[in-house]
Each structure stands twice: as structure tokens, then as C-alpha cells.
Amino acid sequence: AGIGKCVAMDLARRNARTILACRSQERGQAALEEIRAATGNPAVLLRLLDTGSLASVRAFAAAVLREEPRLDVLVNNAGVTGLPFAITPEGLEQTFATNYLGPFLLTNLLLG
């Protein structure tokens, strides 16, 4: 939703192979179908990613590096606010992990 979906829509309109990295399969699938229908670009893919989980970030990055011949653009757009205080299974504060640590790790893993 929001800025991330707009960016993905624009990239797909430019005929770019676009990977939607979403926490929710259901919401991600709806966005994928909408973007494909609006752009006619079949090369829009959905991959699950929770930037609040470093294990999820590592698995996502490994899959991208394994499956994609190259990565030209990365848009980090994850963000949460107003959540009650929570600790991730990895012992990190949830908001900090989701908004900062996860995207930082993802970027560094994808740099190669």
C-alpha cells in the first residue's frame, strides 16, 4: 500500500522485473494482481519478507541472490509506527528491527 505500491507500479509500467517484498501473502497477492492488471507486466513477483525478523531478511536475500541474475534497484520502504512495545524472537525491539535493522541488513546482504 502507499508509497511502496506506487513505486512498484511505476517500475512495472517501465517494464521492469519487479519483486514485491511483503509481510502478508494476502495483501501482497492483491497488490501483485492490481499492478499486473494496470501495467500488463507479467514480470511482477511476490516474495514474503518481514523486515522485523532477521531470519526472514536473510532467507529473502539468499533467495534473491540465488534466483535473480542481477539487482539494479532496491527500494527500502518498510515501516511501522504506534505498535505496543514488543521484543522479536531475536531479542530486538520490534519497531527498531522492522524500520532500521532489517532494511540495513537486507541492503548489506544484497550488495554481494
Side-chain angles (χ1 to χ4, degrees):
I3 292 171
K5 186 171 160 187
C6 288
V7 170
M9 184 78 75
D10 187 63
L11 291 169
R13 277 196 179 104
R14 296 168 189 256
N15 212 29
R17 180 175 172 83
T18 305
I19 301 171
L20 307 179
C22 302
R23 273 188 305 253
S24 164
Q25 175 76 36
E26 183 178 301
R27 292 179 64 206
Q29 187 64 36
L32 174 124
E33 291 169 9
E34 181 181 339
I35 292 168
R36 281 183 179 173
T39 66
N41 184 345
V44 179
L45 312 171
L46 174 63
R47 299 288 182 264
L48 294 181
L49 170 63
D50 177 1
T51 58
S53 163
L54 300 186
S56 176
V57 170
R58 289 180 189 286
F60 176 87
V64 168
L65 292 172
R66 182 177 60 250
E67 297 167 6
E68 300 298 326
R70 66 185 226 222
L71 180 66
D72 295 312
V73 177
L74 173 65
V75 179
N76 282 319
N77 186 53
V80 294
T81 185
L83 297 178
F85 181 83
I87 299 294
T88 69
E90 294 150 320
L92 304 167
E93 193 278 322
Q94 183 71 50
T95 302
F96 185 58
T98 301
N99 294 352
Y100 300 101
L101 297 177
F104 180 81
L105 177 61
L106 178 62
T107 299
N108 281 277
L109 291 172
L110 293 176
L111 284 173

